[in-house]
Each structure stands twice: as C-alpha cells, then as structure tokens.
Amino acid sequence: MDSLALDISTAAAEPLTPERALDLLAQAGLCDTISLERARAVSRETGISSAQALVQLGLASERSLAEAWSRLLHVTLALPERYPDEPLLPERLQPRFLRAARVVPVVVEPVDGEPGENAEVLVLAMAEPLDHFTTAAIRIATGMRTRIEVAVPIELEAALDRLYPEAKPQDTAEPAEAGEDDAERLKDLASEAPVIRLVSQIIAKAVETAASDIHIEPFEDRVRIRYRYDGDLQEAETHPARLAPAIISRLKILAKLDIAERRLPQDGRIRIAVRGQDVVFRIATAPSLHGEIIVLRILDRSAIAFDFVTQGHDPQVIERMQAALAVPNGIMLVTGPTGSGKTTTLYTALLGLNKPDTKIITVEDPIEYQLPGINQMQVRPQIGLGFPNLLRSIVRLDPNIIMVGEIRDLETAEISARAALTGHLVLSTLHTNSAAAAITRLRDMGLEDYLLAAVLRGVLAQRLVRRLCDVCKAPSPMPDELKARFGVAGGQVWRAVGCPSCRNTGYRGRQAIAEFLTPSAEIQKLLFDRAGQAEIERAAIAGGMKTMWQTGMEAVSRGETTVEEILRAVGAEE
C-alpha cells in the first residue's frame, strides 16, 4: 500500500460514492477484482458495507484499509493517542448512536478568522469515512461544522469502550461463590452479548497488535489482561473481578473444555475468524487462588516467516544447517530454552525438505502449526501414547524424515538414534544452553557414545533477541570499552528509542542468534574419550564454529539489535 497515491480530482467526474471509492482502491492495489466482487456479494447478503466485507473475508486488514482511505481521501489517519480522555459533547451525542455509526468525536478545534457559532469545527474519527449521513446527523445535533479523520476500527472500538462503557449484566448477578458448581449459570454468563463482545475484543486486539500470547489472570480485586510482545509481557487492561467467571467460561466454551472443571489444568485449541482472518489459539488453563489462569498462544501462521534468512540466522549457520539436512540419515538437534524458536526452526527445515517423493512424519506435543503435505501426530500421554510408542509405530510407516518434538528420556533418544542408523533423517529438540551441551546431555541420559558418534549430524543452539525498530532506532558512537570488551566491529552502534509503531519499546519483532556445531573427526574422538562440554566446544570453535555470542555481536554491528539484548539472551562472554 506504500505506492498508493490517488488524487480524487483525477478519478473522473463521477461522485465519490463508497462503491466508486472502493473501485479506486482496488485499482491502486488494495485487492484484486475477484476479491472485490466477493466482498460485494457478501455486502448484498448481509447488509454490511463492501469495505467491511473485505476485512471480514480476510482480503484486507483493517489497518491497510484505513491507510488506503486516508490516502485516497487526503485525510489524517487517527492514531490511538488522538482519542480524548473524556467524552466530547455527551449531552448532544448519545453513545448508542456513536457505537452504531462507528464514530468518536476526538477534538473541537477553532477556525481562524471566523467568530461566532461557526468558529469551531468538530473533528470525528470514523471507521466509515464516506458515511455522509452520520456526519450530517452530527452537524445537526451539535450545530457545528465537522471534519473527519480515518480510524482503525479496533482502535476506535477500544476508545468507545473506554469513553462510553456499557453496563455489564454481572453488575446485578449473585456473587461467584453462590453456585460454584453451577455449570448452567456459567454458560448463561458466558453467553451474554457484552461478555462475547469483550472476549472478542481482547482476542482481536492481540491479533491486530501482533502479540504472541494473551494472559488472563484473576485477582481478588480485578482481572488482569496482559499481552506478550517480542518475548516481553505488557499489561493491556483490567476488568472487575466479577467478570472473571464469565470471561473464563466463554473461552473454555470456545475451546470445547469442561467449564465445570476448575480444579484441574486443561488444554485445548480454538480456531476462529478474527477480523476475517482464520487464526488458531492454543489455550491452557490452571487453577489459582482467585480463579483459573488462562493463557492463549496465538498460532497465526501468517505472522510467522518460515525462512532461515528472514528469521535472522547467520549465513554460516544456514550453510552448515542445510549441509546437515542434505544428508539422508542421521540426527540433527535444535537446542535452547523454552520460547527460543526451536519449533519454528524445525518447521522451516521440514518445509524446505518437503517434496513429492519424500514422506515426512512428525510426533509433537503439542502440534503448533499444521504443515501442508506433512503427516503430523499428537502425543496423548493420557491414553499411553507417548513419544516412544509413537516412534516405534512411525518407523513401520516407511518415512524418509521423522521429527520428534523433544527428546526427553533415554528411551526416546535410543529409538531416534536407531531410526537414524536404519536410514532415516531425524530432527528433534533438547533443552540445553549450548550446542556442545547437547552432546553431554544425551550422554547423561545414557545414550552410548558409539551411537551418538554414528548418528549425530549437527546441533543448532539458538536464542531469540528483539530487533531494533527501524522507524525510531538512533545511531550512537561506539565506546572504545565496548570494542575492547565485546569485540563489536564498526564505528557505531544503534540504540532503542521508542515510538508508536513499536509501542514505545524501541524494538519491533525478534530474530534468531545461533551457533551450529558440526561433529568433526576431532569431536568424534573427544566423544569416545568422554570429553566434557568445554573441550568439545573448544574443538568446535577451532573447527570454525561461530559461537552464539559472535553471531549476536555481528547482528549488533549491523544495527539489527543491541548489546543489552545479546547480554540478556546469552550472557557475558566467558
């Protein structure tokens, strides 16, 4: 949409109706003709505007549509901070009308040189900027001239909820203690329209702002909603404690969980359309002192880049990894703590290996993303279907490549190693802090040295660090101490500043820093000599391995991240 630059004066002499404007936006690249016709068909069937239908069908995002309207109409895009702290003209403009029209009065501005009643103009943030009926009605109701700005619907709805809160049905309900085991009461609470709308808004805001997780935490006096961005939690909003049972029950109904069971943890999945985009959520519940805690992991495949370069991997790491993946048999491991991107790296590898003449089977707990053309299996310990049992079955299904979600015990390690010996390429993960530590971890599990030396093709250890925001990052002279202590090349580094596009954090998105250990003849000899982690790591570095610290410092030199991020993820260089 960056190339959109239409001038209404050149769009012919036709009046700019909503449909005509949509044609112009389509011509400028917002969507194709087929998508536009689909939106119009939905508009005729449902009564919503064609623009709204485009968003609901997932053919355009709310933000891209708002930006397109802003450029086409040559009006300002209303940013979140534009909305007022208190309602404007509440005695003349009713909340019900504003909600229905999807409009918020944001400011009253003076008009220079025009004293009297016409000396002020009311600025309106509108989700439907060509809704002339609404602007005319507001002019009549207020007696003021109006000027419009284009609103992003999710931001406008958040402002409406803040400025004009609706009375919640739970205000008059009995306390939660009265009827603790009443599943029907919980269903009734979860089915109320305000609760459904509140939960939908919590989910939609998380997806729209590219959060990775939603945390819903009940306390004695409130329900806290937090979103995780780029690995860090940020508090988003709070609600009265009385809403906790309704919010939690609504989410459990969506995930098809038992709403009456509040003593035991539960897991499930939710697949819903958010602003026209099909998104999957993994949900986990657990009991706490003041009610159930719920965490939703957003599995939005469109937000994940299954590409090693886009993920930020160093060229040497990619080259070594692809060499290991090109071998028809053996084991390649990806290590790192929880949340370090191990599964994403494995999925990227599998998608690159997925060919019509290759059979790939995965054993996962849980299945994060559904991969086209790949057979994925879910571990179910409650019925005795663990990693070892599934692995034994998989070998008989004649796969070429096997992915094991995690090697947790000796039995899984041995079955994986023997599958690699019999001609299969096995990919898996371990929880260790470095590539060399993966070797000693398998040895500690009890895997024989000769098996490990025979099947190991490579170990990738990785972390995720936050990327600097390209909009606001600022150069900073590189101190001599930084060069001497951390070995950062170049004449400058970049520092985080903060702006609206990165939620004032200075960072936007994450990238991988990694090291890849390829077992050389020297390392195999050390294996048989039962050498320790430090000796193996020194041999790998002598063989040309870049450490995680080195790839991280190179990313700092390129202005992609900061030294503080590398220190946080990896620690100081030993």
Side-chain angles (χ1 to χ4, degrees):
M1 294 305 302
D2 291 341
S3 61
L4 180 62
L6 290 176
D7 189 335
I8 299 175
S9 64
T10 65
E14 303 175 40
L16 194 65
T17 63
E19 290 303 314
R20 171 63 179 154
L22 210 57
D23 282 330
L24 295 175
L25 293 178
Q27 291 170 20
L30 178 69
C31 63
D32 55 34
T33 305
I34 296 175
S35 299
L36 187 55
E37 289 308 313
R38 284 179 60 196
R40 283 177 171 149
V42 170
S43 174
R44 288 191 294 269
E45 293 172 6
T46 62
I48 63 175
S49 71
S50 297
Q52 282 181 276
L54 273 175
V55 173
Q56 290 195 8
L57 290 170
L59 303 172
S61 71
E62 288 186 334
R63 187 167 299 278
S64 64
L65 183 61
E67 290 171 351
W69 282 131
S70 172
R71 294 175 184 177
L72 174 63
L73 302 175
H74 302 291
V75 297
T76 302
L77 182 69
L79 299 175
E81 56 268 23
R82 180 66 162 160
Y83 295 98
D85 295 328
E86 299 292 338
L88 292 182
L89 308 175
E91 69 285 353
R92 303 185 196 179
L93 299 172
Q94 296 301 310
R96 185 174 179 181
F97 166 76
L98 297 175
R99 284 186 179 277
R102 300 207 297 166
V103 59
V104 171
V106 294
V107 70
V108 176
E109 294 180 343
V111 179
D112 294 336
E114 295 192 23
E117 293 184 359
N118 291 326
E120 293 179 324
V121 60
L122 180 63
V123 181
L124 306 171
M126 300 183 67
E128 298 281 353
L130 293 180
D131 182 0
H132 304 304
F133 172 81
T134 293
T135 53
I138 291 176
R139 283 196 295 270
I140 292 170
T142 61
M144 302 173 68
R145 287 187 285 178
T146 60
R147 178 167 62 80
I148 69 166
E149 294 183 358
V150 181
V152 177
I154 190 172
E155 296 170 357
L156 183 137
E157 289 168 9
L160 283 169
D161 288 339
R162 176 173 56 82
L163 294 168
Y164 310 99
E166 291 186 315
K168 300 291 191 291
Q170 287 78 15
D171 288 354
T172 58
E174 296 179 8
E177 290 80 2
E180 279 290 318
D181 300 317
D182 188 358
E184 290 303 318
R185 185 183 67 87
L186 289 174
K187 286 181 182 177
D188 291 341
L189 290 177
S191 300
E192 295 285 351
V195 172
I196 293 173
R197 184 162 58 247
L198 174 60
V199 170
S200 297
Q201 287 172 352
I202 290 170
I203 290 173
K205 181 179 178 183
V207 174
E208 183 74 16
T209 56
S212 62
D213 302 85
I214 306 171
H215 291 243
I216 299 172
E217 303 159 322
F219 293 97
E220 184 178 9
D221 58 342
R222 70 195 192 282
V223 181
R224 181 172 66 181
I225 312 295
R226 295 195 288 176
Y227 298 144
R228 190 178 293 280
Y229 296 104
D230 303 330
D232 290 345
L233 276 173
Q234 293 183 15
E235 185 167 325
E237 55 198 80
T238 60
H239 299 282
R242 61 179 176 270
L243 292 181
I247 294 172
I248 292 166
S249 297
R250 175 62 185 165
L251 289 167
K252 291 171 79 173
I253 287 172
L254 289 173
K256 298 181 173 58
L257 301 179
D258 183 357
I259 65 170
E261 179 55 78
R262 283 165 283 177
R263 301 164 301 170
L264 299 173
Q266 297 186 68
D267 298 296
R269 292 171 82 87
I270 302 173
R271 180 186 293 274
I272 54 176
V274 180
R275 312 282 178 181
Q277 181 180 354
D278 198 29
V279 180
V280 176
F281 300 82
R282 192 178 77 221
I283 180 172
T285 75
S288 71
L289 180 62
H290 299 292
E292 289 177 285
I293 297 169
I294 287 191
V295 176
L296 290 91
R297 167 64 56 87
I298 303 173
L299 306 177
D300 182 3
R301 183 169 175 175
S302 66
I304 301 294
F306 292 109
D307 178 81
F308 292 133
V309 175
T310 306
Q311 290 164 10
H313 282 291
D314 184 84
Q316 188 212 62
V317 169
I318 295 174
E319 181 182 351
R320 290 186 166 207
M321 188 166 20
Q322 289 177 336
L325 293 170
V327 178
N329 55 63
I331 293 179
M332 191 193 88
L333 297 172
V334 180
T335 77
T338 301
S340 59
K342 298 186 298 295
T343 302
T344 301
T345 297
L346 284 180
Y347 280 173
T348 304
L350 290 178
L351 289 170
L353 294 168
N354 191 20
K355 303 288 190 302
D357 59 351
T358 302
K359 182 169 184 175
I360 302 175
I361 301 180
T362 74
V363 185
E364 304 175 60
D365 182 25
I367 295 173
E368 295 277 355
Y369 296 95
Q370 295 181 15
L371 306 177
I374 293 175
N375 304 281
Q376 296 173 269
M377 297 184 179
Q378 171 73 51
V379 169
R380 300 187 186 280
Q382 62 271 26
I383 60 172
L385 202 61
F387 280 112
N389 293 340
L390 273 175
L391 272 173
R392 289 191 189 94
S393 301
I394 282 175
V395 174
R396 293 193 288 270
L397 296 176
D398 191 30
N400 301 101
I401 299 168
I402 300 170
M403 187 196 100
V404 184
E406 182 184 349
I407 294 178
R408 300 174 178 173
D409 50 47
L410 175 59
E411 190 176 10
T412 305
E414 286 182 337
I415 297 171
S416 299
R418 297 192 186 282
L421 277 176
T422 55
H424 303 88
L425 177 62
V426 180
L427 311 181
S428 191
T429 71
L430 272 177
H431 286 284
T432 62
N433 290 326
S434 68
I439 295 175
T440 54
R441 175 79 179 97
L442 289 172
R443 178 192 291 158
D444 292 342
M445 281 185 186
L447 192 65
E448 296 291 344
D449 291 327
Y450 76 90
L451 268 179
L452 193 52
V455 301
L456 191 63
R457 301 291 176 259
V459 184
L460 175 79
Q462 72 174 54
R463 301 287 190 280
L464 292 179
V465 296
R466 292 183 293 174
R467 291 182 194 265
L468 281 166
C469 174
D470 290 330
V471 176
C472 65
K473 68 179 182 181
S476 178
M478 186 181 299
D480 292 336
E481 182 186 355
L482 192 66
K483 288 183 182 180
R485 183 179 177 189
F486 297 128
V488 183
Q492 68 178 19
V493 290
W494 295 78
R495 58 184 175 85
V497 178
C499 68
S501 67
C502 62
R503 300 174 301 278
N504 295 310
T505 64
Y507 299 92
R508 187 171 185 178
R510 289 191 290 177
Q511 70 176 67
I513 57 170
E515 61 189 24
F516 194 92
L517 184 152
T518 302
S520 61
E522 176 63 23
I523 290 175
Q524 288 183 342
K525 181 178 181 300
L526 289 172
L527 272 174
F528 287 114
D529 292 341
R530 300 193 66 79
Q533 173 186 331
E535 291 178 84
I536 294 172
E537 187 163 308
R538 282 195 293 269
I541 294 171
M545 181 186 82
K546 283 185 182 179
T547 65
M548 238 185 303
W549 179 265
Q550 288 174 307
T551 58
M553 286 299 112
E554 288 176 5
V556 170
S557 300
R558 294 190 296 269
E560 296 169 355
T561 188
T562 61
V563 174
E564 292 82 2
E565 276 297 292
I566 305 302
L567 286 169
R568 184 175 66 87
V570 183
E573 186 177 30
E574 295 181 0

